[in-house]
Amino acid sequence: MTSTTDLVKTITEGIQEKKGRDIVVCDLRKIDGAVAQYFVICQGQSPTQVEAIAESVGDKCREAGEKPTHVVGLGTDQWVAIDYGDVLVHVFLPETRRFYDLESLWTDATLTRIPDLD
């Protein structure tokens, strides 16, 4: 079993492998009633890239021995949510991300922005 922080790192690597952008890790551990310990939020520039990012995250996590409990949004590829229990991954198209603005929902969370790889 992978530690939660290692899982977040693995997810981030999967996102970066497919050039996912604007990665934000929301640490929800100090928030009562939070649905997970972490949200990892990122975006792709096209539906094809959103799907590729989601697949890359899945591949990297499987290599680490982790399987999601639920995946929603594949096929529409505007917002793919991947549930790893303690970590929820959200891969958005930019306009969908702006609309839902998940980062601002958790004002008490510690937000860590991961620099884009070019």
Side-chain angles (χ1 to χ4, degrees), residues 9-81:
K9 186 174 184 292
T10 300
I11 289 165
T12 302
E13 289 169 0
I15 293 167
Q16 290 174 325
E17 191 169 274
K18 295 299 178 184
K19 307 254 187 274
R21 310 214 34 102
D22 299 321
I23 302 168
V24 176
V25 177
C26 304
D27 185 342
L28 307 173
R29 292 176 294 177
K30 294 181 181 170
I31 298 175
D32 290 337
V35 296
Q37 291 183 26
Y38 293 93
F39 274 12
V40 180
I41 304 167
C42 72
Q43 66 191 42
Q45 299 307 309
S46 68
T48 303
Q49 187 183 21
V50 167
E51 186 166 332
I53 292 166
E55 288 175 2
S56 178
V57 167
D59 291 346
K60 286 276 189 197
C61 289
R62 266 190 302 285
E63 289 170 13
E66 297 290 333
K67 292 182 185 169
T69 58
H70 208 70
V71 179
V72 179
L74 286 174
T76 62
D77 300 323
Q78 294 182 33
W79 176 6
V80 177

Side-chain angles (χ1 to χ4, degrees), residues 85-97:
D86 289 334
V87 183
L88 292 175
V89 183
H90 301 275
V91 186
F92 287 101
L93 284 176
E95 57 273 16
T96 308
R97 183 178 186 174

Side-chain angles (χ1 to χ4, degrees), residues 90-106:
H90 301 275
V91 186
F92 287 101
L93 284 176
E95 57 273 16
T96 308
R97 183 178 186 174
R98 280 190 298 277
F99 179 81
Y100 287 102
D101 194 17
L102 292 185
E103 292 96 327
S104 71
L105 290 178
W106 303 100

